Amino acid sequence: MRRTISRALVIVFGGAVLGLAVNAVSPRRIPYVAPPKPQLKAQDSIPLQEAQELWSSGAAFFFDARATADYVSGHIANAFSLPVEEFDQHYPSVAGMLASEASIVVYCDGQECDLSHHLALRLRELGYRNVRILMNGWTVWHTAGLPTHTGDQP
């Protein structure tokens, strides 16, 4: 019995060490401690109607912070894919279009989705000051029957 318990402990300990090692080298690693959710100010979010007006006038860039697969499944028409989890890979393709004073609307999906919060923070760190978040963006836009698109192009 004692031998069985010691073998079980070796297996559990070995599995934990292997799991931690794989996580440490994985590009999609899971953080050991979740980063705090960025705090929003009232001016950080944009109501749907104002976002629609900016979209209709072409006065703002729209960025989808969700994973590429979600973007391909459906996104706001003319929005660019800028998945926050792959920001360094995708940002160079849109950087040339943006001036520091550009109006930018970022969105993701779901009431608890904070991808857009993190994307807004990254863009602000790069000097973009007019970045706003369309809360629960994909759902509210799609539900309102506003223009959408599928595929990997805006």
Side-chain angles (χ1 to χ4, degrees):
M1 178 74 165
R2 185 177 235 179
R3 189 174 199 184
T4 303
I5 291 174
S6 64
R7 285 182 180 173
L9 288 174
V10 167
I11 291 171
V12 169
F13 181 72
V17 168
L18 180 62
L20 290 170
V22 168
N23 188 52
V25 298
S26 172
R28 294 190 56 156
R29 78 185 100 228
I30 300 170
Y32 299 118
V33 177
K37 188 173 185 174
Q39 296 297 314
L40 291 178
K41 300 175 189 142
Q43 68 269 21
D44 289 342
S45 65
I46 184 170
L48 177 62
Q49 182 177 350
E50 188 178 341
Q52 180 186 6
E53 290 168 5
L54 286 172
W55 183 88
S56 295
S57 68
F61 290 93
F62 280 68
F63 290 108
D64 190 324
R66 301 174 299 158
T68 302
D70 294 327
Y71 176 85
V72 169
S73 294
H75 57 270
I76 294 174
N78 300 326
F80 294 92
S81 178
L82 189 55
V84 71
E85 293 176 344
E86 300 169 1
F87 183 84
D88 294 332
Q89 293 169 313
H90 291 265
Y91 175 71
S93 66
V94 298
M97 298 183 293
L98 300 174
S100 61
E101 66 277 353
S103 292
I104 298 172
V105 176
V106 297
Y107 69 93
C108 56
D109 191 22
Q111 293 291 349
E112 298 299 317
C113 180
D114 62 351
L115 296 172
S116 55
H117 299 74
H118 291 287
L119 179 56
L121 183 63
R122 293 287 306 265
L123 290 168
R124 287 183 183 131
E125 288 171 351
L126 291 172
Y128 302 103
R129 298 291 168 232
N130 195 9
V131 181
R132 298 183 62 201
I133 301 167
L134 179 59
M135 303 299 290
N136 196 15
W138 171 242
T139 296
V140 297
W141 190 274
H142 185 262
T143 302
L146 298 171
T148 61
H149 188 70
T150 58
D152 61 357
Q153 299 297 312

